[in-house]
């Protein structure tokens, strides 16, 4: 069956071992995590995981429900690319002498909207944000023309195209409905 | 029970358990849990601690206790090998939704991660097989963690929780103040009943000409037996049960049509593929129930009542999900459904009952051959208790035969390892069941294989004088595997033949009374002797060596392809 890239957004309490609890659920079904990004969310004390996997709709639905079921998980969602604004960031380290030997780099910088993070006599660090294909394209071009000393790409971060962070409403709802103070 | 002076973490821990109503603990002491056992010494009037002979036994005993009583089973063991020994029972409780709190000792927090003596990553190991696993590293966390553990274990769809208790936290002195846990913002144990779902499901039921209900353990866990009966009676809906749904309906209830699945009854399996509306209640469409999913109830509209949303559409696509506890949803549904008769449909089960009786049951419970069969022993024991006993089984042929031929008049009368299929479950689970329901007779059936997997628990039975009635159905084979070898592996009996010890002599060494029976004419007297008092007893029955459990739906076959022999 055709597999699609799904982006999972998981909100959790910030407790020890949470990542393990999530990855176990992928492991059981033999699913590879393509990208992973974890950070504190807009709500204090709550962490947000953004995970991408290739899967069928049927499997991703079940996996997200099984993640959501874990006690320390506040909410798990999944989306396809068309429902999201998403971004990755990549850093490229290049030998300064080879870069200078190439001559002008203005075209390169304009073409890829590159930011230069550091420049010294030994190396230059480029930064590029974009979708996977875009950061990959720059990597390919640099590899072929100048050579890349080091390359690193982050996991995806994503935001939905709907207005509010969905968790805020949900938390309020839970607190009023179930929370006995 | 607030204290004025500071107390040790170990004492705070015991006081926390008392707050949760714990009066029975199954455990085994060791280095990393010694402060807790030391504190327990002062609470012997409040807590009955049962010393098992192996930590696996402690976990299964806690399961048996929980399953018959509805209370949370509690295990207390040390770190390292004790924790790994407990894994089987924890996994079993997860699969079968049994409320249990397992406390493991752990090395002091300063040593964590250093490969200290008897250190093992208990939280890491148990996370995939628990509802919640938490490591208590400081004494201030104790009351909070225990409260949360019991709330999680018993609420919603129950399950096991592990508390890994670092030794330094057992020694530290704290002010103790206990507050029960009633709410966790990231955890909604019981989904709210949705009226639209009830209306949609009721509409399907009201249109049905051939409705059929599948009863799972969710009914028992929700204490919804009366609601189930009212629902089935109002709609005149025939029903069948899963292995863990056994005893939710009494055997003689007219709408009870029998046992589902691989070794279930013919009618319920065939009718699954004939009904027009299938109503699954607190069950999870296990592969042993459904057989080949692509040929399972395709003609029917499917209604699924469950407390766990992740079960909806997991194995079978559902037309009308109904979320909530079976107690609430069945009551709401009963209000909305019409009184109906479905008499032709109900009558149509009879033909299959008669066919199965003639081809299978008759031979099994009233054999004409010289050798004793498993089915006749089970039926005789059941009848000798007026069908009022609690049945505990091990795993394999003994389990399937017991599920088929034991009869029930009361709920919470069947304790078995369903999801995990743990051989060795029988003896310790029976101990726990007897302690959880001391006024009832507990009959445990095991094969000669499974009995020897936890045979050391005879020591616990001796020491505590736990009045369990143990019956070994001895065929000198690992019977279920042998059956598969006969049917699917050309009778190549690879390592299934067993040379057994003198079980009665072993029982005698543990000062447990027992009898061995090989001839049919001695069976009734032996059963009567076993049931004459409330003391532990071992009955060994040498049964036919190559008995088969039929009917059978082979793995991967459809429920319609059920074999009668």
């Amino acid at each position: 069956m055709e597999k699609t890239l799904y982006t999972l957004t998981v909100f959790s309490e910030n407790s020890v071992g949470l990542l393990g609890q999530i990855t176990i659920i992928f492991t059981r079904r033999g699913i590879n995590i393509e990208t992973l990004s974890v950070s504190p969310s807009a709500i204090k004390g709550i962490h947000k995981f953004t995970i991408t996997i290739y899967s069928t709709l049927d499997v991703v639905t079940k996996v997200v429900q099984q993640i959501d079921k874990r006690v320390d998980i506040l909410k798990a969602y999944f989306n396809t690319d068309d429902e999201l604004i998403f971004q990755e960031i990549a850093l490229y380290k290049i030998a300064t002498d080879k870069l200078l030997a190439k001559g002008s780099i203005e075209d390169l910088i304009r073409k890829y909207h590159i930011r230069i993070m550091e420049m010294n006599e030994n190396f230059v660090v480029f930064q590029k944000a974009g979708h996977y294909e875009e950061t990959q394209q720059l990597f390919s071009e640099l590899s072929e023309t100048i050579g890349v000393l080091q390359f690193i790409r982050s996991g995806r971060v994503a935001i939905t195209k709907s207005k509010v962070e969905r968790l805020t409403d949900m938390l309020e709802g839970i607190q009023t409905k179930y929370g006995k103070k | 029970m607030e204290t004025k002076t500071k107390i040790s973490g170990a004492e705070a821990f015991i006081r926390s358990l008392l707050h949760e109503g714990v009066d029975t603990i199954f455990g085994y002491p060791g280095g990393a849990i010694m402060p807790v056992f030391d504190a327990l010494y002062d609470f012997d009037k409040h807590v009955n601690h049962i010393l098992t002979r192996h930590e696996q036994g402690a976990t299964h005993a806690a399961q048996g206790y929980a399953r018959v009583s509805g209370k949370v089973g509690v295990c207390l063991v040390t770190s390292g090998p004790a924790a790994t020994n407990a894994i089987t029972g924890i996994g079993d409780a997860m699969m079968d939704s049994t409320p249990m709190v397992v406390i493991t000792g752990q090395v002091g927090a300063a040593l964590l991660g250093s490969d200290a003596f008897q250190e093992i990553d208990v939280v890491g190991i148990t996370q995939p097989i628990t509802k919640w696993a938490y490591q208590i590293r400081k004494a201030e966390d104790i009351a909070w963690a225990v409260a949360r553990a019991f709330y999680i274990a018993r609420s919603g769809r129950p399950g096991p929780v592990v508390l890994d208790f670092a030794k330094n936290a057992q020694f530290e002195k704290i002010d103790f103040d206990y507050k029960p846990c009633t709410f966790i913002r990231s955890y909604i144990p019981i989904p709210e009943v949705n009226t639209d779902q009830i209306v949609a499901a009721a509409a399907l039921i009201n249109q049905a000409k051939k409705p059929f209900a599948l009863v799972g353990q969710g009914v028992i866990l929700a204490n919804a037996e009366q609601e189930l009966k009212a629902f089935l009676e109002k709609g005149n809906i025939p029903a069948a049960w899963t292995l863990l749904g056994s005893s939710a309906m009494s055997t003689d209830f007219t709408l009870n049509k029998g046992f589902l699945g691989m070794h279930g009854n013919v009618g319920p399996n065939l009718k699954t593929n004939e009904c027009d509306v299938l109503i699954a209640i607190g069950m999870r469409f296990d592969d042993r129930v459904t057989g080949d999913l692509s040929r399972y109830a395709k003609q029917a509209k499917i209604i699924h009542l469950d407390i766990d949303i992740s079960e909806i559409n997991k194995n079978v696509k559902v037309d009308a999900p109904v979320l909530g506890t079976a107690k609430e949803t069945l009551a709401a549904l009963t209000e909305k459904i019409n009184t109906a008769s479905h008499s032709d449909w109900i009558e149509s089960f009879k033909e299959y009952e008669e066919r199965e009786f003639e081809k299978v049951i008759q031979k099994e419970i009233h054999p004409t051959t010289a050798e004793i069969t498993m089915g006749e022993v089970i039926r005789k024991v059941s009848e000798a208790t007026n069908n009022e006993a609690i049945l505990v089984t091990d795993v394999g042929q003994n389990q399937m035969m017991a599920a088929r031929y034991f009869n029930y008049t009361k709920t919470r009368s069947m304790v078995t390892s369903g999801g995990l299929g743990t051989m060795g479950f029988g003896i310790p689970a029976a101990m726990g069941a007897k302690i959880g329901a001391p006024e009832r007779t507990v009959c445990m059936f095991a094969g000669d294989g499974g009995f020897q997997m936890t045979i050391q628990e005879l020591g616990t039975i001796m020491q505590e004088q736990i009045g369990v009635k143990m019956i070994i159905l001895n065929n000198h084979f690992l019977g279920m595997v042998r059956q598969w070898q006969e049917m699917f592996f050309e009778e190549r009996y690879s390592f299934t033949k067993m040379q057994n010890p003198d079980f009665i002599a072993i029982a005698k060494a543990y000062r447990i009374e027992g009898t061995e029976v090989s001839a049919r004419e001695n069976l009734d007297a032996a059963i009567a002797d076993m049931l004459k008092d409330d003391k532990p007893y071992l009955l060994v029955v040498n049964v036919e060596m190559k008995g088969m459990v039929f009917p059978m739906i082979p793995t991967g076959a459809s429920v319609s392809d059920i074999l009668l022999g």
Side-chain angles (χ1 to χ4, degrees), chain A residues 13 16-18 20-21 24 28-29 44-46 58 62 65-66 68-74 171 174-175 177-180, chain B residues 94 124 127-128 130-132 137 148 152 157 182-188 190-192 308-315 317:
Chain A
E13 298 292 354
V16 175
L18 241 300
Q21 292 191 45
I24 284 158
R28 278 184 78 183
R29 290 179 181 268
K44 194 166 182 257
I46 294 176
D58 182 47
K62 289 172 187 171
Q65 277 181 343
Q66 284 173 335
D68 201 21
K69 183 172 154 177
R70 299 299 308 179
V71 168
D72 293 316
I73 303 291
L74 284 141
L171 272 183
I174 292 172
Q175 195 69 47
K177 205 183 280 177
Y178 302 97
K180 295 168 198 121
Chain B
M94 186 67 171
Q127 255 178 357
T130 51
K131 271 186 90 174
W132 191 56
R137 291 183 213 90
R148 211 170 138 105
I152 291 169
R157 180 178 178 174
T182 54
F183 171 68
I184 297 171
R185 68 175 178 180
S186 57
Y187 170 63
I188 303 169
I190 302 172
E192 229 182 347
D308 179 357
I309 192 173
S310 77
E311 288 298 341
I312 307 293
N313 293 327
K314 187 182 81 176
N315 295 332
K317 287 275 173 251

Side-chain angles (χ1 to χ4, degrees), chain B residues 195-209 211 231 276-277 279 301 303 320 322 332-333 336-338:
Chain B
T195 313
D196 293 347
Q197 291 182 343
I198 298 287
V199 169
L204 284 177
I205 295 168
N206 287 336
Q207 287 162 14
K209 300 273 184 292
F231 168 74
D276 56 2
V277 174
I279 309 150
K301 292 281 183 201
I303 300 169
V322 181
L333 262 182
K336 292 268 187 299
I337 63 167
N338 302 333

Side-chain angles (χ1 to χ4, degrees), chain B residues 189-492:
Chain B
I190 302 172
E192 229 182 347
V193 177
N194 177 328
T195 313
D196 293 347
Q197 291 182 343
I198 298 287
V199 169
L204 284 177
I205 295 168
N206 287 336
Q207 287 162 14
K209 300 273 184 292
K210 297 185 282 183
F212 184 38
L214 313 180
V215 175
Q217 193 193 197
V219 171
I220 298 169
L221 291 171
N223 301 314
E225 294 87 352
Q226 290 311 314
E227 287 78 4
L228 173 71
K229 193 158 179 272
F231 168 74
L232 297 174
E233 280 175 341
K234 184 172 181 190
N236 260 301
I237 300 165
W241 36 274
T242 68
L243 184 61
L244 293 188
S246 306
S247 84
M249 297 179 282
S250 60
T251 308
D252 61 4
F253 176 48
T254 50
L255 292 165
N256 181 349
K257 297 298 169 195
F259 179 32
L260 289 164
M262 185 174 268
H263 293 291
N265 295 116
V266 174
N269 279 304
L270 291 183
K271 293 295 174 181
T272 302
N273 278 357
E274 285 177 30
C275 65
D276 56 2
V277 174
L278 191 68
I279 309 150
I281 308 163
M283 56 83 77
R284 59 183 177 82
F285 293 107
D286 181 82
D287 57 279
R288 287 298 195 262
V289 164
T290 65
D292 180 9
L293 280 172
S294 68
R295 289 178 285 164
Y296 182 79
K298 289 294 172 193
Q299 80 296 342
K301 292 281 183 201
I302 294 176
I303 300 169
H304 192 177
L305 283 66
D306 210 287
I307 197 167
D308 179 357
I309 192 173
S310 77
E311 288 298 341
I312 307 293
N313 293 327
K314 187 182 81 176
N315 295 332
V316 170
K317 287 275 173 251
V318 174
D319 298 287
V322 181
L323 290 167
T325 68
K327 199 173 186 70
E328 288 177 296
T329 54
L330 281 171
L333 262 182
T334 305
E335 264 182 45
K336 292 268 187 299
I337 63 167
N338 302 333
T339 309
S341 79
H342 305 122
S343 50
D344 289 352
W345 166 240
I346 292 168
E347 191 64 19
S348 73
F349 281 77
K350 211 169 178 184
E351 172 196 349
Y352 298 105
E353 284 163 13
E354 284 165 2
R355 193 194 301 170
E356 184 178 341
F357 190 82
E358 185 195 323
K359 300 255 188 204
V360 180
I361 299 172
Q362 172 84 2
K363 285 190 279 192
E364 190 62 39
I365 60 174
H366 303 299
T368 49
T369 51
E371 290 174 309
I372 301 176
T373 64
M374 290 189 185
E376 71 174 315
V377 182
I378 290 158
R379 183 56 63 86
K380 275 180 190 296
V381 170
S382 180
E383 285 173 353
T385 68
N386 297 317
N387 303 322
E388 286 173 358
I390 290 172
L391 166 67
V392 180
T393 81
D394 209 84
V395 165
Q397 286 186 320
N398 65 86
Q399 176 187 36
M400 291 296 105
M401 286 296 196
R404 288 180 54 78
Y405 297 112
F406 208 83
N407 292 337
Y408 310 100
T409 51
K410 295 177 179 166
T411 187
R412 289 191 184 272
S413 293
M414 161 61 146
V415 181
T416 195
S417 169
L420 199 62
T422 305
M423 279 177 72
F425 180 82
I427 302 175
M431 299 178 339
K434 182 65 186 172
I435 291 164
E439 73 293 349
R440 297 187 64 187
T441 302
V442 174
C443 297
M444 191 284 294
F445 290 90
D448 41 312
F451 193 84
Q452 293 181 73
M453 281 199 177
T454 46
I455 196 166
Q456 71 281 357
E457 297 305 336
L458 293 176
T460 314
I461 291 169
M462 170 180 68
Q463 184 166 348
E464 298 289 335
Q465 279 299 299
I466 307 167
V468 289
K469 307 301 179 182
M470 298 171 279
I471 303 108
I472 301 180
L473 300 169
N474 186 5
N475 57 7
H476 301 274
F477 265 113
L478 298 173
M480 187 60 91
V481 182
R482 191 212 61 79
Q483 176 170 344
W484 283 46
Q485 287 171 334
E486 178 175 333
M487 293 176 74
F488 312 119
F489 293 88
E490 297 161 344
E491 298 182 49
R492 289 155 55 86

Side-chain angles (χ1 to χ4, degrees), chain B residues 1-8 11-16 18-19 43 143 174-180:
Chain B
M1 243 184 267
E2 213 167 322
T3 53
K4 294 219 167 59
T5 50
K6 285 182 187 286
I7 59 170
S8 73
E11 185 182 341
F13 185 79
I14 302 289
R15 289 188 183 277
S16 300
L18 295 178
H19 273 284
F43 287 88
I174 43 154
D175 294 317
F176 178 66
D177 180 18
Y178 197 82
K179 287 186 201 71

Side-chain angles (χ1 to χ4, degrees), chain B residues 121-144:
Chain B
D121 179 9
V122 172
V123 170
I125 292 172
T126 58
Q127 255 178 357
I129 53 167
T130 51
K131 271 186 90 174
W132 191 56
Y134 185 78
Q135 189 172 63
I136 302 172
R137 291 183 213 90
K138 52 183 195 297
E140 293 86 69
D141 283 354
I142 291 168
W144 173 85

Side-chain angles (χ1 to χ4, degrees), chain A residues 150-166:
Chain A
Q150 273 181 39
F151 170 64
I152 184 78
R153 180 161 42 216
S154 74
R156 170 182 286 197
V157 291
I159 246 168
T160 55
K161 289 177 181 171
S162 60
K163 266 186 233 158
V164 275
E165 189 141 35
R166 295 161 290 190

